[in-house]
Amino acid sequence: DGKDSFTEQLQQLWEDGLFDLRLGAFVVDMLVHNAEVNQFMKLNWQFVFDFAGNCHKSKHAQGFSLSFGDMTSEQNMPLFIVFCIIFGMLCVFFLAEVRKVCDIG
């Protein structure tokens, strides 16, 4: 019931033809920023191989923006408060970690 047993079982499955090296998938993800429109683009290309060795390609592109406009406007005030709270928590966490490092020496 150890590593040798697992290796034997895996080898048996390999010999029985359970694994096919022609079957698989390859995925390429990329994140691009377009400064002209201040927007990010997530690009995804997927190559999937079937049992016959055919390659099925698919592309997916999705744009998103991290710009919320004027953060101090009344409409975005709840979001601004959340960002301030998260930033404060991040500062507390960072200071606690620095203290731990200083205590360890």
Side-chain angles (χ1 to χ4, degrees):
D1 288 342
K3 183 178 177 181
D4 295 330
S5 174
F6 177 74
T7 305
E8 278 183 36
Q9 292 174 358
L10 195 58
Q11 184 64 30
Q12 183 64 36
L13 292 173
W14 177 267
E15 291 170 359
D16 289 342
L18 184 67
F19 303 110
D20 187 358
L21 294 179
R22 294 175 296 172
L23 181 66
F26 180 70
V27 178
V28 178
D29 278 327
M30 184 170 40
L31 188 66
V32 180
H33 180 259
N34 186 347
E36 290 181 14
V37 293
N38 197 20
Q39 188 165 0
F40 287 92
M41 178 75 70
K42 180 181 180 276
L43 305 169
N44 177 299
W45 294 276
Q46 187 173 15
F47 306 90
V48 178
F49 301 91
D50 61 10
F51 283 107
N54 298 322
C55 179
H56 303 282
K57 297 176 248 180
S58 63
K59 296 179 244 175
H60 186 260
Q62 180 179 4
F64 62 95
S65 176
L66 297 178
S67 175
F68 294 107
D70 183 17
M71 290 296 290
T72 58
S73 70
E74 189 173 326
Q75 180 183 4
N76 290 331
M77 193 53 69
L79 187 60
F80 180 71
I81 293 171
V82 169
F83 282 157
C84 289
I85 291 171
I86 291 173
F87 182 73
M89 292 171 65
L90 181 66
C91 290
V92 169
F93 172 76
F94 181 73
L95 290 173
E97 293 299 313
V98 168
R99 251 188 231 131
K100 287 179 189 177
V101 170
C102 291
D103 289 342
I104 292 172

